[in-house]
Amino acid sequence: MSDNRAFDLLPWHQPLWKGLQRALRANRLPHALLLEGRRGLGKQRFAKAFSHGLFCENRAGTGEPCCRCRACSLFQAGTHPDFSYLEPEEGSSEIKIDAVRSVCARESLTAAVGAYKIIVLHPADALNKAAANSLLKTLEEPARGTVLMLVTDRPSRLPATIRSRCQALKFRPPPREQAREWVKNRIGAGEADLLLALSAEAPLLAVELADPDILQTRSRLFDQWVGVVEQRLDPVRVVEQWSGQPLDRIVDWLCGWTIDMVRLKTSETTERLFNPDQRPRLQALAQRLNFDVLHGALDALFDARRLTGSTINVQLLLEDLLAGWSSAMTTEGRSGIS
Ligand SMILES: [Zn+2]
């Protein structure tokens, strides 16, 4: 579990925060929240900040915790008895039924310290079927003062029975200027715009990508992928060289390159690109591929994105994806459309 010590509400969280505080004051706080939105917007951080505020014994009118009372100390030390944080066990991609049962059993007891008992599940889409069924009972008949927060980048992977029992809290990318300011304060102005474009405007992801190693890896993978599309490189060999890279990141990059080609094919002068630094090469490739090929590739990538995080053979999945690209231009050549 990550750091609880600092109460650190991100600027773009304010509207969602204020909405929940209004509900709290009106005694209408939902007992189950689904925090959904793309990676890199701080959903987990929000879940912890909101929990911290709920536990505090001297909560300010704005909902912010005092960071001095007994409840705050317990929360900040990571030992608050009424706070449960459920995530997949080490080495597993799933949240299993035993973990859910144990947390839900404690949930039915009265809160030990204050008025609330809080359970955060992250990522909620990692709940396996049995665990999701087990959670349903608590969602249907929560004990008084229980608040469940389900955090996910992929809400569509949750069973409808779970989603329908939660109130959705939708996290969206902040306005460009706010995001830019926040990123700039952390990594300097130099690459803020490029990194925000690369991260689809998700500021925390932009800062994560500022790591020179990651940027170098992206350049290398891009070169190799172009090599596959141009049929200079063997897809199987390339996938071997990609082993060890996180699948979700590779799939995100491939999606970004493909979406940019669709955009460039639609309008050569478009300002909206995930990869503005690779505009000339993406444009050259886009001219040699037709829309059917690009949309087919996107479908395959969206399917792959749904599979990331599950128990799949990563190497086979990537080989399939790259094999598709390695024949994209042949099809194009035969059809003669450009
Ligand atoms: Zn406090």
Side-chain angles (χ1 to χ4, degrees):
M1 184 170 137
S2 58
D3 198 2
N4 281 351
R5 271 168 293 171
F7 174 78
D8 186 14
L9 199 59
L10 295 161
W12 57 93
H13 287 168
Q14 282 294 344
L16 292 172
W17 178 268
K18 285 180 181 156
L20 279 187
Q21 297 303 332
R22 271 196 301 275
L24 182 60
R25 284 195 297 273
N27 238 341
R28 286 187 293 101
L29 185 67
H31 71 271
L33 294 163
L34 181 62
L35 283 67
E36 57 174 88
R38 67 179 63 148
R39 197 157 65 88
L41 295 176
K43 300 183 295 298
Q44 270 190 88
R45 209 192 274 215
F46 185 93
K48 286 179 185 165
F50 187 63
S51 304
H52 190 176
L54 274 187
F55 285 134
C56 175
E57 291 157 6
N58 306 312
R59 187 168 59 231
T62 55
E64 292 188 20
C66 72
C67 295
R68 287 188 302 276
C69 69
R70 181 178 60 131
C72 281
S73 305
L74 286 169
F75 185 78
Q76 287 167 298
T79 53
H80 198 297
D82 299 324
F83 183 68
S84 305
Y85 188 90
L86 262 189
E87 57 191 341
E89 281 170 30
E90 186 107 13
S92 167
S93 58
E94 294 185 335
I95 297 177
K96 296 186 179 143
I97 186 165
D98 290 347
V100 170
R101 272 196 186 134
S102 133
V103 162
C104 290
R106 278 197 282 151
E107 183 270 342
S108 61
L109 307 171
T110 318
V113 175
Y116 293 100
K117 292 181 81 85
I118 301 175
I119 304 173
V120 175
L121 291 106
H122 176 264
D125 52 274
L127 281 164
N128 69 21
K129 206 170 169 190
N133 281 333
S134 170
L135 186 70
L136 265 183
K137 197 178 165 309
T138 302
L139 280 173
E140 278 163 358
E141 299 164 18
R144 204 179 137 79
T146 292
V147 180
L148 282 126
M149 283 188 256
L150 283 70
V151 183
T152 180
D153 306 341
R154 288 169 290 205
S156 62
R157 277 173 60 169
L158 281 166
T161 45
I162 298 259
R163 271 184 286 151
S164 65
R165 284 169 176 81
C166 300
Q167 181 164 322
L169 212 55
K170 294 191 179 186
F171 285 70
R172 297 196 169 83
R176 183 33 103 76
E177 261 320 297
Q178 194 182 50
R180 195 169 181 281
E181 194 59 27
W182 191 86
V183 171
K184 206 176 75 181
N185 285 337
R186 274 146 195 90
I187 58 163
E191 286 181 318
D193 284 324
L194 171 63
L195 290 165
L196 274 169
L198 289 180
S199 62
E201 310 291 323
L204 272 68
L205 186 57
V207 170
E208 186 185 315
L209 292 178
D211 179 342
D213 285 348
I214 297 181
L215 284 180
Q216 262 173 26
T217 303
R218 168 180 168 270
S219 294
R220 176 170 65 83
L221 266 59
F222 181 77
D223 288 345
Q224 291 172 322
W225 169 76
V226 172
V228 169
V229 182
E230 292 179 338
Q231 298 176 12
R232 289 182 284 105
L233 296 177
D234 172 30
V236 176
R237 284 274 172 78
V238 168
V239 170
E240 276 169 20
Q241 291 172 30
W242 289 5
S243 76
Q245 296 296 330
L247 178 64
D248 53 353
R249 190 176 288 157
I250 296 182
V251 171
D252 274 357
W253 284 342
L254 286 168
C255 279
W257 301 333
T258 311
I259 292 170
D260 280 355
M261 287 196 292
V262 172
R263 286 175 176 168
L264 286 163
K265 217 168 165 61
T266 311
S267 161
E268 284 188 11
T269 54
T270 182
E271 291 294 320
R272 288 184 62 224
L273 288 184
F274 291 123
N275 305 275
D277 58 329
Q278 297 292 358
R279 175 186 283 269
R281 292 175 77 192
L282 286 166
Q283 188 141 14
L285 277 184
Q287 281 168 0
R288 298 164 68 190
L289 297 165
N290 68 33
F291 274 117
D292 285 349
V293 163
L294 293 175
H295 287 300
L298 268 185
D299 286 343
L301 283 164
F302 290 149
D303 286 343
R305 190 179 259 172
R306 275 191 283 278
L307 291 171
T308 60
S310 61
T311 46
I312 39 153
N313 185 322
V314 173
Q315 189 174 345
L316 279 183
L317 176 76
L318 288 176
E319 281 176 12
D320 270 357
L321 286 174
L322 286 197
W325 281 113
S326 73
S327 56
M329 272 198 194
T330 316
T331 312
E332 175 62 15
R334 275 205 297 271
S335 67
I337 306 161
S338 65

